[in-house]
Amino acid sequence: MYGPLGDGWLAMPPEGTPKARGSHTAVSTGSRMIIWGGTSPNCGSGGGVCSDGAAYDPATDTWAPLRTEGAPSARSEHMGLWTGNALFISGEAWGRRLGCPLSDGALWVP
């Protein structure tokens, strides 16, 4: 379980952990850490660009996947911003480099 901060590291549970990735969004809601999008050879088609994510809750020491229904299309090097009550996802460098900019974005509301 999550404990008081001090010298040392506490292991996070492997169950539900999102696939290893880079160029993703990682934000804190104040009570959870949210990871979404990015690139990974473990992600589906589209050149390894991820269209999923998960939320870590240190109070319960658990990961929960984010719903993919209504999520923006897969992207990396995008902007992610915690608004105070929602995760705003917009922009995308990967698609622009390939000549196919994305115009979609979305809000994830816990």
Side-chain angles (χ1 to χ4, degrees), residues 12-21 33 35 52-56 62-65:
M12 295 172 76
E15 300 82 22
T17 303
K19 301 169 194 82
R21 62 191 67 202
M33 178 180 68
I35 293 175
D52 65 350
Y56 176 71
T62 57
W63 285 96

Side-chain angles (χ1 to χ4, degrees), residues 1-84:
M1 289 298 287
Y2 184 76
L5 296 178
D7 288 341
W9 291 86
L10 298 173
M12 295 172 76
E15 300 82 22
T17 303
K19 301 169 194 82
R21 62 191 67 202
S23 301
H24 57 282
T25 287
V27 299
S28 171
T29 69
S31 62
R32 291 189 274 181
M33 178 180 68
I34 312 299
I35 293 175
W36 190 86
T39 57
S40 170
N42 300 315
C43 285
S45 62
V49 180
C50 304
S51 61
D52 65 350
Y56 176 71
D57 184 343
T60 60
D61 195 30
T62 57
W63 285 96
L66 300 184
R67 289 182 56 183
T68 55
E69 182 181 332
S73 52
R75 63 192 67 207
S76 67
E77 300 180 41
H78 55 281
M79 184 194 75
L81 173 71
W82 181 249
T83 68

